Amino acid sequence: MGFGDLKSAAGLRVLNDFLSDKSYIEGYVPSQADIAVFEAVGAPPPADLFHALRWYNHIKSYEKQKASLPGVKKALGKYGPADVEDTTAAATDSKDDDDIDLFGSDEEEESEEAKKLREERLAQYESKKSKKPAVVAKSSILLDVKPWDDETDMAKLEECVRSIQADGLVWGSSKLVPVGYGIKKLQIQCVVEDDKVGTDMLEEKITAFEDYVQSMDVAAFNKI
């Protein structure tokens, strides 16, 4: 488990991938886990690492309250993806591969055992080369949710929106934006898997809370 060196490009890429379907390092609210990783990053990630930059800016807004956030800071290596590649094992595999002559022996005669071992290693080598991770198409969507009037309970409105749960849907940060006459709209971000969640479905479910929601618009839509 861990992100590696969060001041390196590789470490930031791991962080960005980790946050592609999460709003926080642990759980569903800002915590000391976010502060620990935030301090290790030290500076805003590059703009192309969209998820990491979004998370960094969001946690930065808690700078004055960071001491009061829940949780207890742990060692940095306790946070991050659990399925980080074991490079030690990879190095061992590489050494084993080096010890086997994949292209045959210079000797004219080869024992059956050596031939069998060579063929097994060739098969393993080809299998490793052919394996490619499946790519899941995702999008980052920024939604504008408008209330009926300035008397609408915006906290309740946001609670209703976040209560919408679906496979392939992760809610992110939000804020209230003034639109005039004392009315504020909810601007909320989410990440969706394209083949599971669409904007039509989101609009249908959000506008179903008709006591609070007047309308929903897509403010920004970006493929990830």
Side-chain angles (χ1 to χ4, degrees):
M1 178 175 285
F3 297 108
D5 182 3
L6 283 169
K7 296 192 183 300
S8 70
L12 289 175
R13 280 195 297 272
V14 173
L15 175 64
N16 188 69
D17 293 343
F18 179 77
L19 291 169
S20 64
D21 59 355
K22 299 176 181 64
S23 296
Y24 304 105
I25 300 301
E26 289 185 343
Y28 300 97
V29 296
S31 69
Q32 294 301 319
D34 294 283
I35 298 302
V37 177
F38 176 87
E39 290 175 349
V41 172
D48 60 324
L49 299 181
F50 176 83
H51 303 296
L53 181 59
R54 177 260 306 161
W55 166 85
Y56 182 93
N57 289 334
H58 182 52
I59 300 305
K60 188 177 181 181
S61 69
Y62 288 92
E63 194 164 3
K64 293 182 179 179
Q65 305 122 275
K66 64 181 182 181
S68 63
L69 294 180
V72 177
K73 282 186 184 178
K74 296 182 286 189
L76 193 61
K78 297 293 184 181
Y79 305 116
D83 57 345
V84 174
E85 183 181 357
D86 185 347
T87 54
T88 303
T92 302
D93 287 346
S94 176
K95 185 177 185 300
D96 288 344
D97 288 346
D98 291 343
D99 290 342
I100 301 299
D101 182 0
L102 296 179
F103 303 101
S105 171
D106 289 336
E107 297 177 3
E108 291 184 2
E109 295 184 6
E110 184 177 23
S111 71
E112 286 299 318
E113 183 178 353
K115 183 178 179 181
K116 182 179 178 181
L117 181 59
R118 179 170 61 85
E119 290 174 350
E120 288 177 354
R121 289 307 176 100
L122 278 169
Q124 291 174 5
Y125 176 73
E126 292 299 329
S127 176
K128 285 180 182 179
K129 287 203 305 181
S130 65
K131 287 181 180 177
K132 293 183 179 179
V135 177
V136 178
K138 294 182 180 181
S139 298
S140 174
I141 307 175
L142 187 64
L143 303 175
D144 281 345
V145 184
K146 298 175 183 176
W148 289 104
D149 52 40
D150 60 342
E151 295 183 357
T152 300
D153 185 339
M154 296 304 292
K156 184 64 179 178
L157 184 150
E158 180 172 355
E159 181 183 330
C160 291
V161 172
R162 289 187 182 275
S163 72
I164 299 169
Q165 300 293 319
D167 184 26
L169 168 65
V170 178
W171 294 108
S173 58
S174 64
K175 62 180 178 179
L176 297 179
V177 179
V179 294
Y181 304 102
I183 300 174
K184 295 181 180 180
K185 65 182 177 181
L186 172 69
Q187 197 166 76
I188 186 167
Q189 189 170 26
C190 64
V191 173
V192 302
E193 292 185 24
D194 294 346
D195 60 347
K196 295 180 180 179
V197 180
T199 55
D200 290 343
M201 183 271 271
L202 290 172
E203 182 174 15
E204 179 183 350
K205 289 186 175 293
I206 289 174
T207 54
F209 297 106
E210 55 189 18
D211 289 343
Y212 301 97
V213 178
Q214 180 195 92
S215 64
M216 186 216 85
D217 297 309
V218 176
F221 189 105
N222 295 292
K223 294 287 186 181
I224 299 174

